Amino acid sequence: MISQVFILSSQGDHLIYKDFRGEAGSDVVNLFYEKVTALTGDQPPVVMRHKDVHFVHVRQGGLYWVATTTADTSPFTIIEFLNRLTALVKDYCGSLSERSVQMNFALIYELLDEVVDYGYIQTTSSDILKNFIQTEAVSSKPFSLFDLSNVGLFGAETQQSKVAPSSAATRPIQSSRDQGGKSEIFVDVIERMLVVIGSNGVLMKADIEGEIKVKCYMPTCSEMRIGLNEEFSIGKSQLRGYGAAVRVDECSFHQAVRLDEFDSLRILRLCPSQGEQTVMQYQLSDDLPSAPPFRLFPTIERDNGGRLLMYMKLRCDLPPKSAGINVSATIPVPKGSVSLSQELSSPDQSAELQPQSRAVVWKIPRFPGGTQLSALFKLEVPGFSSASMLEVGPVSLSFELPKITATGLQIRFLRLSPFQPGPAQRWVRYVTHSDSYTIRI
Amino acid sequence: MPYIGSEDTVRDLRRVLSNPNVQSDQLRYRNTILKVIRAMSQGVDVSGLFSEMVKACATVDIVQKKLVYVFLCSYATLNPELSLLVINTLRKDCQDPNPMVRSLALRNMTNLRLPSLVEYVEQPLTAGLRDRAACVRRVAVLGWAKLHNLQTNSEIDAAVVNELYSLLRDPDPVVMVNCLRALEEILREEGGVAINKPITHHLLNRLKECDIWGQCEVLRILQRYRPQSEDELFNILSLLDVSLISPHPPVMAATLSLFLSLCSGLPAVGLAALERVRGPLLAACGNTSREMQFTALCHIQLLLRSLPGLMGEHYKRFFCGYAEPAYIKQRKIEVLVELVNDDNVAILLDELRGYCTDVNISTAHAAISAIGRIGRSYSDKCLEILTELLGLKQEHITSAVVQTMRDLVWVCPQCSRTVCSAVEGCEAEIQDSQGRHALLWLLGVYGEQVSSVPYTLEVFIDGVRSEASVGVKMELLTATVRLFLCRPAETQDMLGRLLHYCIEEETNMCVSDQALLYYRLLHCGIEETRKVLQCRRSDPSLGVLIGRPAEPINQWSYIFNTLEPLRPGAIETDDALTASVSAPLSLSLSPALSPEEFEDLWLQQQCPTIFRCSPQSLQAAMQLVNIQTLAFTPPHTLPWRVYLYTNTQNKHSADTCHGTLILGELLVKKNTAEKGIKVTLKQQPRDEKALKGFLSVLTTVLHALSSE
């Protein structure tokens, strides 16, 4: 049961406040903000209490999404609800930011009114909601260079040559109905890697978490069929043949997905509702089908002047045609390091010493597969001792691998049936992120 | 946030709203109303515009209507008279051919929260229950709950309750779930909606039609059902098996909760259910939402209390990511400590070592003390890592390591040699008082084994004038006296100086009193002093039971899937004693105590009660009445000691914080003439009644044992 829902900006401005049960006053909003900003680093912020009022909140899009409730409520339900609410707002407003919430507050009040009644969640399905929501989204389209991001959107097999700008998928879903917007469907395969590589180069942990998301802008879509790799298998026992099987350990589907063709043909059938939904989630633990994308060969020593020399060789083991983008390596350095001098192999790279986080951050905007980069960092460390060497490492990498899935999962085809009148566009994109990619030194 | 010029804003808005030109232009009218709502949600008091907004309510534009209702529902309680004007429009809307308009009107009519309007609302609500459109019925059903809570003292209308019960068979699943919710509220005094066999099976059969929110609600309400036979129970359990491994964490958690409450008499089935949710829980730990990860981690900790081996082979899933927030890292570290076994200890320690140099100081401390806790079972490897960490020569790490070593030595005295050689020479880096406190304790207790102790203490004594912390001063006194006992020649002079300073110049009463105590003690002779100071040392034959015994599931099942496991700090001290002492006393093991906390509290409390009865082996019997035995001396040693604790709970208050904590020591001295057990009890906060209650429980157990 939810007593109130409110949305605050990171500065504590009230954006949305809705009281469902009239049990607590609106002063709890300021109280929440005081509490959440007064937390010290080691206190978990998710649940906070003031007398009988319990605050549960999530942070999304730089905003606080807060629900107040009673102690015996299920935290899973409340958090899932808040996450679902953010997803709905994102679907309806196009993007999730302080600005979009501010501009669309009437729409959000309307949504809240339909989604929750008297503190009880009624429905969060966009299929049902679309009949009730009347307000149109106000979307801002500021021109920005960042929108032309380098994550390409590649069409399904019929549209190999066409590339859509990545902002295409960040528009409100409703415009498709009212403003005659394009009827499009996006299928994203997003994977996250959790990798730990030991100092001897041995893979110590390798987990992949992946999901297939469908974002649908079509007002009516009767059925969609998504064909996965035929050699896709779940669990260890199910391996088929000897070929390069695409294997995952666990797999779960959205309840709307019909699996009657899945066992034999690996086809998912569903009727997508408007907006974004996660169709399939899967995990692969302790196994990587291919070599880890990045390897690091560090040499760390001390020169005669008492400086710390770090010679880093980073190799990208992706196939030659693909590349990692926005690669950034964070190398923890001894406390009290004062200055950094660097030798990088190309001018587009950059490196800086961040005293706050005690680390050198080395940024590589684009890193083609099969190449190797090297960098030499010289650090001035006053009071350098042999023990300070222990503070160097482990290096963590963050990166994006567009057009690549770590498990090898691919979408063979994407069919809409019955055939859509008019130009329905189908887009498939693949991306792998580093959730946590650590290389010990 | 009230901001400057809010009065001007309201005045301007009123002028625009009452402008006939604006009123005739639908778009401008709507935009002005938008401005009002925007001001309202920013915290400006716009209640003054109520009458203008009431007028704006009569429109055909649904968007405008919705906006006005948002306003009216927020301010209706401030203007009950003016709100009467809205009722007419609302009642007219309830007859509208468009179901959306009908449901909107009905919902907002009940959301006005005005007891004076109840008589106007009842008729449309009754009609709403029989409406053709499901969306109107959904609203009408909850409307009755709202109405009931507006006038709680009025009698419950039996006709409405019957109607709601019959709507449980409504074709729309949301209407059905809303009926359950409404009946729960209306019949709260009677214990909520009646859950009998037909209703249970009806709900279970329709579970699949509901969305995840509805499923959670139904599963929660079904927790009250008690199956009549074992066959029926297993039928229900097999129906629920699918939801137990649901990919949606809320459904999974609600199902497990139901499972545990249904199987409270069948522990084996409960444990099997825990095994079954392992997969979904682990998946929730890898959820993209940090908050969901955190919730799952907190609940995994609960499960591990009953099934310590549950996640053993999945320990790698709890390794911390670089960019994770500190609160998740610290929970993961706590879980990792629980998962240690012979196979993974090397990899786990290696991973934890990496966290010790984390940028976040509290995460680093959590990792260091986690290594210390693993050290109780694998002391050599852990001490190696801890010693290596001292080499980093960083203030906060050294301090945390010394504190961890102190705790470790207390439990595993055999580590003292390694610890002593490690802490030598690290006094220069420790700046905070807790770290110095720990160091002084180590130096005092193991003064014989470290050659440089007198010099170290001398530095401390020379700087005692500038010492701010009372605790450090007191520990310094104790450490110096202890050192004097084993190395008198080197220490005599500085002890004299320290005592002189503390007695003559120190302003803090605690410190000067303690100094006086030691001074007089030394007057009594060296043997007396030794007796007093060395009895605080822990008994080497007394080992803490390493690895908590697996708790029965019902110890924690009542807080599963509530906010309780997510709250920071398990034990909250609450000074307010519950007023109703007459409530029956019961014992419980939560909040749980760690050995260190036990020891701290033990040394604080002083109120012994002594009586006698005959001895027996206790542990099993004690657990039956919820008394936890924490530490034993090995059997056949004399005197034989048992330490135990429990919490008293007040049955009437749901809040467990109001209990009092009781610590106990049972001492068996067979060599004395009379056979008997000496029982020493300590309590916090003081509560005579609870103490007497506890004693009677304890005597009953002991008598029962002796009569066997």
Side-chain angles (χ1 to χ4, degrees), chain B residues 312-313 315 336-349 374 376-379 381 546:
Chain B
E313 54 193 280
Y315 64 97
L336 281 176
V337 172
E338 305 278 329
L339 302 183
V340 174
N341 58 35
D342 290 349
D343 302 327
N344 60 23
V345 65
I347 302 175
L348 243 164
L349 283 175
I374 296 175
R376 288 174 199 172
S377 340
Y378 302 92
S379 47
K381 287 175 194 146
I546 292 168

Side-chain angles (χ1 to χ4, degrees), chain A residues 21 59 74 79 83 105 109-110 117-118 120 122 124 132 192 204-205 209 330 358 387 391 440, chain B residues 34 41 66 113 146 149 178 185 213 286 289 291-292 295 316 322 350-351 357 391 394 561 563:
Chain A
R21 294 185 61 95
R59 288 210 69 171
S74 158
I79 289 171
N83 285 330
F105 69 97
Y109 274 122
E110 201 181 348
D117 191 11
Y118 205 43
Y120 297 108
Q122 300 292 301
T124 52
F132 292 94
R192 293 177 291 142
M204 300 181 69
K205 168 187 163 169
E209 279 163 13
T330 310
R358 243 179 48 212
E391 285 184 78
R440 301 254 183 82
Chain B
L34 265 176
S41 50
K66 285 189 172 178
R113 297 196 198 108
K146 297 179 198 170
N149 285 351
N178 276 356
E185 300 233 1
W213 318 113
S289 152
E291 289 80 7
M292 190 55 93
T295 315
K316 284 187 184 172
Y322 170 75
D350 199 31
E351 182 72 18
T357 46
Q394 286 199 16
N561 204 15
L563 300 184

Side-chain angles (χ1 to χ4, degrees), chain A residues 300-301 306-310 331-341 352-361 377-385 387-393, chain B residues 394:
Chain A
I300 295 167
E301 56 194 28
R307 283 182 302 178
L308 182 68
L309 295 185
M310 300 194 294
I331 310 155
V333 294
K335 194 180 181 187
S337 306
V338 280
S339 70
L340 169 76
S341 70
E352 63 171 330
L353 175 69
Q354 293 181 346
Q356 194 75 51
S357 53
R358 243 179 48 212
V360 170
V361 180
F377 301 111
K378 287 181 194 163
L379 278 163
E380 206 76 58
V381 188
F384 188 82
S385 69
S388 307
M389 294 286 246
L390 287 173
E391 285 184 78
V392 181
Chain B
Q394 286 199 16

Side-chain angles (χ1 to χ4, degrees), chain A residues 74-77 79-80 83 281, chain B residues 212-213 216 219 243-256 277 280-281 283-285 287 292-293 295-296 560-561:
Chain A
S74 158
F76 289 102
T77 311
I79 289 171
E80 180 85 1
N83 285 330
Q281 282 176 301
Chain B
I212 60 167
W213 318 113
C216 293
L219 292 168
S243 344
L244 196 58
I245 47 169
S246 156
H248 302 287
V251 178
M252 177 272 299
T255 319
L256 183 59
V277 297
L281 261 180
C285 282
N287 198 293
M292 190 55 93
Q293 286 180 13
T295 315
F560 185 81
N561 204 15

Side-chain angles (χ1 to χ4, degrees), chain B residues 161-178:
Chain B
V161 172
N162 281 338
E163 183 108 27
L164 288 177
Y165 270 117
S166 67
L167 276 176
L168 283 176
R169 308 207 172 275
D170 194 278
D172 184 78
V174 181
V175 174
M176 175 186 86
V177 177
N178 276 356

